[in-house]
PDB file of all heavy atoms in Angstrom:
ATOM      1  N   PHE I 442       2.815 -22.649   9.456  1.00  0.00           N
ATOM      2  CA  PHE I 442       2.886 -22.192  10.842  1.00  0.00           C
ATOM      3  C   PHE I 442       1.540 -22.145  11.552  1.00  0.00           C
ATOM      4  O   PHE I 442       1.487 -21.908  12.754  1.00  0.00           O
ATOM      5  CB  PHE I 442       3.522 -20.794  10.891  1.00  0.00           C
ATOM      6  CG  PHE I 442       4.877 -20.748  10.239  1.00  0.00           C
ATOM      7  CD1 PHE I 442       5.027 -20.229   8.959  1.00  0.00           C
ATOM      8  CD2 PHE I 442       5.996 -21.245  10.866  1.00  0.00           C
ATOM      9  CE1 PHE I 442       6.265 -20.192   8.335  1.00  0.00           C
ATOM     10  CE2 PHE I 442       7.240 -21.216  10.261  1.00  0.00           C
ATOM     11  CZ  PHE I 442       7.369 -20.687   8.994  1.00  0.00           C
ATOM     12  N   THR I 443       0.439 -22.332  10.828  1.00  0.00           N
ATOM     13  CA  THR I 443      -0.881 -22.270  11.442  1.00  0.00           C
ATOM     14  C   THR I 443      -1.647 -23.548  11.174  1.00  0.00           C
ATOM     15  O   THR I 443      -1.336 -24.303  10.237  1.00  0.00           O
ATOM     16  CB  THR I 443      -1.684 -21.080  10.899  1.00  0.00           C
ATOM     17  OG1 THR I 443      -1.949 -21.289   9.497  1.00  0.00           O
ATOM     18  CG2 THR I 443      -0.932 -19.774  11.093  1.00  0.00           C
ATOM     19  N   ASP I 488       6.484 -13.616  13.757  1.00  0.00           N
ATOM     20  CA  ASP I 488       5.125 -14.004  14.097  1.00  0.00           C
ATOM     21  C   ASP I 488       5.143 -14.985  15.263  1.00  0.00           C
ATOM     22  O   ASP I 488       5.980 -15.897  15.298  1.00  0.00           O
ATOM     23  CB  ASP I 488       4.471 -14.656  12.870  1.00  0.00           C
ATOM     24  CG  ASP I 488       3.051 -15.056  13.143  1.00  0.00           C
ATOM     25  OD1 ASP I 488       2.186 -14.181  13.128  1.00  0.00           O
ATOM     26  OD2 ASP I 488       2.819 -16.256  13.389  1.00  0.00           O
ATOM     27  N   PRO I 489       4.248 -14.839  16.245  1.00  0.00           N
ATOM     28  CA  PRO I 489       4.239 -15.751  17.389  1.00  0.00           C
ATOM     29  C   PRO I 489       4.101 -17.214  16.990  1.00  0.00           C
ATOM     30  O   PRO I 489       4.700 -18.098  17.620  1.00  0.00           O
ATOM     31  CB  PRO I 489       3.031 -15.274  18.209  1.00  0.00           C
ATOM     32  CG  PRO I 489       2.876 -13.835  17.837  1.00  0.00           C
ATOM     33  CD  PRO I 489       3.280 -13.737  16.407  1.00  0.00           C
ATOM     34  N   ALA I 490       3.320 -17.492  15.947  1.00  0.00           N
ATOM     35  CA  ALA I 490       3.157 -18.877  15.506  1.00  0.00           C
ATOM     36  C   ALA I 490       4.484 -19.437  14.997  1.00  0.00           C
ATOM     37  O   ALA I 490       4.799 -20.615  15.222  1.00  0.00           O
ATOM     38  CB  ALA I 490       2.088 -18.960  14.432  1.00  0.00           C
ATOM     39  N   ARG I 491       5.255 -18.614  14.332  1.00  0.00           N
ATOM     40  CA  ARG I 491       6.556 -19.057  13.833  1.00  0.00           C
ATOM     41  C   ARG I 491       7.507 -19.339  14.997  1.00  0.00           C
ATOM     42  O   ARG I 491       8.220 -20.340  15.009  1.00  0.00           O
ATOM     43  CB  ARG I 491       7.139 -17.977  12.914  1.00  0.00           C
ATOM     44  CG  ARG I 491       8.335 -18.408  12.106  1.00  0.00           C
ATOM     45  CD  ARG I 491       8.750 -17.356  11.102  1.00  0.00           C
ATOM     46  NE  ARG I 491       9.253 -17.936   9.877  1.00  0.00           N
ATOM     47  CZ  ARG I 491       9.197 -17.365   8.689  1.00  0.00           C
ATOM     48  NH1 ARG I 491       8.610 -16.185   8.558  1.00  0.00           N
ATOM     49  NH2 ARG I 491       9.684 -17.966   7.619  1.00  0.00           N
ATOM     50  N   ARG I 492       7.526 -18.436  15.978  1.00  0.00           N
ATOM     51  CA  ARG I 492       8.397 -18.654  17.138  1.00  0.00           C
ATOM     52  C   ARG I 492       8.009 -19.910  17.889  1.00  0.00           C
ATOM     53  O   ARG I 492       8.872 -20.682  18.322  1.00  0.00           O
ATOM     54  CB  ARG I 492       8.343 -17.437  18.071  1.00  0.00           C
ATOM     55  CG  ARG I 492       9.068 -16.214  17.553  1.00  0.00           C
ATOM     56  CD  ARG I 492       9.433 -15.270  18.685  1.00  0.00           C
ATOM     57  NE  ARG I 492       8.251 -14.846  19.412  1.00  0.00           N
ATOM     58  CZ  ARG I 492       7.556 -13.744  19.120  1.00  0.00           C
ATOM     59  NH1 ARG I 492       7.931 -12.980  18.106  1.00  0.00           N
ATOM     60  NH2 ARG I 492       6.513 -13.398  19.835  1.00  0.00           N
ATOM     61  N   ALA I 493       6.702 -20.149  18.015  1.00  0.00           N
ATOM     62  CA  ALA I 493       6.250 -21.339  18.732  1.00  0.00           C
ATOM     63  C   ALA I 493       6.671 -22.612  18.000  1.00  0.00           C
ATOM     64  O   ALA I 493       7.091 -23.594  18.628  1.00  0.00           O
ATOM     65  CB  ALA I 493       4.730 -21.294  18.893  1.00  0.00           C
ATOM     66  N   LEU I 494       6.583 -22.592  16.674  1.00  0.00           N
ATOM     67  CA  LEU I 494       6.993 -23.773  15.919  1.00  0.00           C
ATOM     68  C   LEU I 494       8.495 -23.983  16.034  1.00  0.00           C
ATOM     69  O   LEU I 494       8.967 -25.121  16.172  1.00  0.00           O
ATOM     70  CB  LEU I 494       6.589 -23.624  14.454  1.00  0.00           C
ATOM     71  CG  LEU I 494       6.962 -24.802  13.539  1.00  0.00           C
ATOM     72  CD1 LEU I 494       6.345 -26.100  14.053  1.00  0.00           C
ATOM     73  CD2 LEU I 494       6.536 -24.527  12.113  1.00  0.00           C
TER      74      LEU I 494
END
Side-chain angles (χ1 to χ4, degrees):
F442 304 102
T443 65
D488 181 78
R491 192 173 215 152
R492 287 202 301 268
L494 180 58

